[in-house]
Amino acid sequence: MKKVAIITGASQGIGRQIAITLAEQGIQVIANYNKSEKEAIKLKEQMKEQNIEIDIIKADVTSRNEVKKMIKYVLEKYKKIDILINNAGISEYKMFIDETDEDWNRVINTNLYSAFIVTQEVLPNMIHNKNGCIINISSIWGIVGASLEVLYSISKAGLDAMTKALAKELGPSNIRINSIAPGFIKTKINEKFSEKEIESITQEIPLERIGNTEDIAKCVNWLIEDNYTTGQVISINGGWVI
Ligand code: NAP
């Protein structure tokens, strides 16, 4: 029986590549999206060209109701969930002093509250099956903190704390939870950086290149196959943060 994986925010960027990599490994992928319907449909069609069927499902992962509906749909159709990748996220680039309550709610809800509710809705099935692998996509900025990205850093540090605490609670149920903390990965989230800025970031990276989405998807794949790693924050960053 195929493993079943839900990936949040899989319409583009890192989530999209994770969806492709897992589907190519024979995992039944459910790719969640919110605003980017066209991209999600394109992903489904692209996989179909390789004779791989993936499911795409729209849900705003900051809404408990929408998340509940998504998980109900998945469980009715596939009967189980083996893998959850909490990937959906947004960035925020502002002086801390200018951040508003709305900014706080948007960033924390999208990056952190979403992982709380999606994980809660998925867990009863994983606990029942005594089997599960959860991966939170956090960030190096949750580890070392980023100037002008304080709310983002808080949200990602929160995800890593969730990973560590929940790993202790879920270990006896044979559910592993880990964080992958990427460095600089070329996706839409980094569109704001000019070529010149990217060049100067690259000079700070010991492996002398910025990351690509495959670098992250490979680690996801490894964590799924592994069965003795839990509660860890694995930073894939080319040596930028050591
Ligand atoms: P991206 O290309 O902008 O993709 C973000 C994804 O999140 C999109 O597919 C988007 O879906 C989804 N999303 C946002 N809000 C959502 C919501 N409310 N409900 C459902 N989906 C939602 O960015 P990315 O670089 O791939 O980022 C993926 C994750 O990696 C994020 O958590 C990010 O913080 C983390 N990360 C990225 C980097 C990097 O350098 N790229 C570094 C460290 C960590 P729709 O467009 O369909 O709404």
Side-chain angles (χ1 to χ4, degrees):
M1 201 185 201
K2 271 185 166 189
K3 282 184 184 168
V4 177
I6 300 183
I7 302 144
T8 68
S11 51
Q12 49 196 337
I14 293 171
R16 183 177 194 279
Q17 184 57 51
I18 294 171
I20 293 170
T21 301
L22 300 196
E24 287 176 347
Q25 294 294 316
I27 293 172
Q28 176 59 59
V29 163
I30 295 99
N32 155 259
Y33 67 97
N34 186 31
K35 293 184 185 151
S36 306
E37 181 144 51
K38 260 196 214 149
E39 284 80 356
I41 292 170
K42 216 165 113 190
L43 170 65
K44 186 175 168 65
E45 284 169 354
Q46 185 188 322
M47 298 316 294
K48 200 156 188 169
E49 281 167 20
Q50 296 181 51
N51 285 323
I52 299 173
E53 280 295 339
I54 69 158
D55 223 327
I56 55 171
I57 181 159
K58 177 173 162 52
D60 176 349
V61 291
T62 67
S63 155
R64 172 77 74 167
N65 246 349
E66 292 189 28
V67 167
K68 265 188 193 294
K69 276 191 208 152
M70 172 171 74
I71 303 306
K72 188 168 180 270
Y73 164 84
V74 174
L75 286 175
E76 278 173 8
K77 187 162 175 186
Y78 299 103
K79 312 294 176 212
K80 62 167 189 165
I81 297 164
D82 302 289
I83 299 152
L84 166 64
I85 317 292
N86 286 314
N87 165 78
I90 53 168
S91 66
E92 172 79 18
Y93 207 66
K94 241 189 202 181
M95 295 277 285
F96 180 69
I97 202 135
D98 295 329
E99 299 282 12
T100 62
D101 290 354
E102 288 71 32
D103 293 329
W104 170 276
N105 289 337
R106 194 178 54 256
V107 175
I108 301 298
N109 284 349
T110 310
N111 294 359
L112 185 56
Y113 175 67
S114 64
F116 164 59
I117 56 177
V118 181
T119 305
Q120 264 194 344
E121 295 300 329
V122 163
L123 270 180
N125 180 263
M126 287 186 173
I127 292 169
H128 177 262
N129 296 336
K130 255 194 156 236
N131 173 57
C133 173
I134 300 168
I135 299 171
N136 289 328
I137 305 297
S138 58
S139 165
I140 50 167
W141 304 128
I143 303 169
V144 296
S147 166
L148 297 175
E149 292 189 86
V150 176
L151 300 189
Y152 183 80
S153 303
I154 292 170
S155 70
K156 296 301 187 176
L159 270 182
D160 290 347
M162 172 185 166
T163 291
K164 292 172 195 174
L166 199 51
K168 293 180 180 175
E169 197 169 307
L170 294 177
S173 299
N174 190 36
I175 298 166
R176 294 176 300 110
I177 173 163
N178 293 285
S179 285
I180 295 177
F184 192 102
I185 310 295
K186 201 168 193 309
T187 67
K188 210 174 164 191
I189 220 171
N190 288 321
E191 267 179 350
K192 57 184 172 288
F193 295 101
S194 67
E195 282 305 315
K196 211 171 159 208
E197 284 168 325
I198 294 178
E199 208 182 291
S200 88
I201 290 169
T202 306
Q203 281 168 11
E204 294 173 17
I205 299 175
L207 288 179
E208 297 181 331
R209 67 170 176 90
I210 59 166
N212 55 50
T213 55
E214 285 88 352
D215 295 320
I216 306 305
K218 269 186 216 160
C219 185
V220 168
N221 217 8
W222 178 81
L223 277 171
I224 289 170
E225 282 181 13
D226 172 78
N227 54 28
Y228 199 54
T229 305
T230 196
Q232 304 304 308
V233 178
I234 302 170
S235 192
I236 310 288
N237 63 54
W240 197 19
V241 166
I242 294 176

